[in-house]
Amino acid sequence: MIVTPGGITLPALRAIMAGEPLALPAGWEAAVETSVAALAERIAEGEALYGVNTGFGKMASTRIPPAELVRLQGNLLRSHAAGIGSPLPAPVVRLILALKALSLARGASAVRPVVISHLLGLLNAGILPVIPSKGSVGASGDLAPLAHLSLVLIGEGEAMLGEARLPGAAALRHAGLEPLKLGPKEGLALLNGTQVSTALALTGLFGAQALLGSGLVAGALSVDAARGSDTPFDPRIHALRGQPGQIRVAATLRRLLAGSAIRESHRRDDPRVQDPYCLRCQPQVMGACLDLLDQAGGVLEREANAVTDNPLVTPEGEVLSGGNFHAEPVAFAADTIALALAEIGALSERRIALLIDPALSGLPAFLVREGGLNSGFMIAQVTAAALASENKALATPRSIDSLPTSANQEDHVSMATGAGLRLAEMADNTAAILAIELLAAAQGVGFHRPAATSAALEAVLAEVRAVAAAWDEDRHMAPDIVAVKALVEAGAFSTLAGIV
C-alpha cells in the first residue's frame, strides 16, 4: 500500500494493522531533506535549539558541545527506555511503526530519510520491536515506549520475528539494515510523539466498532427470543429525533429482523404494550455509542496524520518549540471509546437478565426445562454482570488524571497511553458478555420452534449452533462461552450487521 504522508485513512490503518505492507510515494524524501538542511544551517549558526544542542526537559538550559551531539541522541534513547510490563501486541506495534514513519515523512521533524526507511524496513519485514506496555503518561510524547522501539534502529533493544525474540542488531541484519548513528535531533524526533497512545486507541476503536455490530446482532436475536416488538425501530420515530447513529442502528435492527415468523406470530394478540428498555431503546443507546465511536474515529484519523514531535522545523527554516506531543485529544478519544464499550456490554447484560427471567421473557426460568434440577443460564448471567461491572470501573476517565513529571517541567500530562491500554481488557470483557447473550438468545429462540426467526438471524443461529449445542440439561458452560466469544472476536457477527 502506498500512502502519502498526511493522507492515511482508517481503512488503511486497519489494513496495516492486519499485515499490509506500507510504502511512501516517489519523491517523498524531498520535504524531509529540506528540513534536515534547514536544521543544519541553524546549528551552524550556533543558536541554542532544544533537544538538538541542549539537554532535555528540566536540563534544557544545558548546552551540549558539537562533538557530543551524536552521543546525546543515543544517550536519550538508552536512558528513556525505562518501560515495564508485558510487550505490546504485534498489531499495535505495526501501527506504531507506521504512524511514526508517516509522521516523520511529512518533513517537519528534520530526520534523514534513512531513519524513515529503517522504520518502514522493520515494518515490512515483520520485525517488531519489543515495547513494554507501561511507562508513558502521554505527554512530551510516549517517551519510554518509543525509546524501546527506537533502540532497535541503532542495533540495541529487542525485536520479535514471529515467535522468536531477537537482539536488536540481529533483527536489523535479518531485515538487511545497518544500525543507525543518529544525527542531531533524530533521537528526540523518534521519542517525541503520540504514536503509541494513538495506536492503542485505534486498536480499541476498531475492536469497539466490531463489538457494536455484534451487539446489534445479539440484540436483534434477543428481541425475537423475548417475542419483542419491532415497532420501536420504526424509522419515523428516529427521524423525529434526528440523531444519525440512532437512525442507522434502527435501520440495522429492522433489516436483521425482517421476515421473522416469530414476530408475525404475536403481532396482533400480544397483551404487552411496551418492551423493557434493553430491547426497546437499542437504537437510542447503541446509536449514541455509534456516534461516539464515529467522533473518536475522526480525532484518531487526524492524529494518525499529525506531526507530534518537538521542536518542529518549518520549510522556511524556523525551529518552533511547541507542544504537539501532548496527547489530550487521544486521551479524550480513548475515554470516549471506553464509554461506548461499557454501554455495549451493559445493555447486553440487561438483555441476558431479561431472557432468563420468566416474568419478563415468558420463557422457561434460566432458559432450561426442568428448572431446579437444571440451573441453565443462571450463573452465565452472573458472569456477564461481573464483567459489565468491571467495565464500569475501567471506563472511569483517564484524561482527568495528571501527575507532574520531569521535576515539574511537564506539569500537566494526558494519561492517554493508559487510556488506550485499558481498552483491550474492556473489549475482551464485552466480547464475553455478547457471547453469553448470543447463547441465551439462541436458546430462547429455540423455544419458539417451529416458528423461525429472520433469514439473517437464522444464519446467526447456525453459527452459534456449529460450536455450541442447544441446552437440554446442565453441562459445562464455560467451553460454550469461549467458543462463541471466539466467533465474536473473529467478526462472524459484526460483518452481518454491516454498521461500520
Side-chain angles (χ1 to χ4, degrees), residues 18-31:
E20 182 82 11
L22 173 64
L24 301 176
W28 67 268
E29 300 93 342

Side-chain angles (χ1 to χ4, degrees), residues 287-473:
C289 291
L290 178 57
D291 285 339
L292 285 181
L293 295 179
D294 284 348
Q295 178 188 20
V299 171
L300 295 176
E301 185 174 80
R302 289 189 292 275
E303 194 72 9
N305 285 294
V307 181
T308 55
D309 62 286
N310 181 63
L312 300 176
V313 181
T314 71
E316 298 75 29
E318 287 190 76
V319 179
L320 306 177
S321 184
N324 278 0
F325 50 69
H326 199 297
E328 195 83 348
V330 182
F332 284 158
D335 282 346
T336 296
I337 296 165
L339 293 176
L341 281 169
E343 283 296 270
I344 292 166
L347 196 66
S348 175
E349 184 280 326
R350 287 293 79 203
R351 292 192 295 264
I352 299 165
L354 177 148
L355 291 175
I356 66 172
D357 185 344
L360 293 173
S361 68
L363 297 168
F366 302 108
L367 300 172
V368 68
R369 302 199 188 279
E370 295 188 89
L373 175 63
N374 293 303
S375 296
F377 282 70
M378 180 187 296
I379 303 305
Q381 185 270 328
V382 173
T383 297
L387 295 173
S389 181
E390 189 175 309
N391 271 358
K392 291 176 187 177
L394 288 168
T396 301
R398 305 299 174 92
S399 54
I400 59 174
D401 185 22
S402 179
L403 282 174
T405 60
S406 193
N408 285 305
Q409 175 76 7
E410 298 154 6
D411 58 351
H412 181 277
V413 301
S414 72
M415 299 298 180
T417 322
L421 191 62
R422 73 26 163 112
L423 297 177
E425 184 176 1
M426 294 187 70
D428 187 71
N429 289 343
T430 302
I433 297 169
L434 292 175
I436 294 169
E437 183 186 1
L438 285 160
L439 285 164
Q443 184 76 2
V445 167
F447 287 117
H448 301 313
R449 294 304 196 202
T453 184
S454 68
L457 295 179
E458 286 292 338
V460 172
L461 279 172
E463 290 269 12
V464 172
R465 288 291 169 249
V467 298
W471 197 269
D472 297 321
E473 59 181 6

Side-chain angles (χ1 to χ4, degrees), residues 54 88 102 122 210 218 227 240 318 356 404 422-423 470:
T54 75
L88 292 174
L102 289 166
L122 292 177
R227 298 174 76 245
L240 286 168
E318 287 190 76
I356 66 172
R422 73 26 163 112
L423 297 177

Side-chain angles (χ1 to χ4, degrees), residues 119-142:
L119 290 167
L120 294 174
L122 292 177
L123 173 65
N124 294 332
I127 295 171
L128 306 179
V130 175
I131 304 176
S133 56
K134 297 182 180 180
S136 174
V137 295
S140 201
D142 291 313

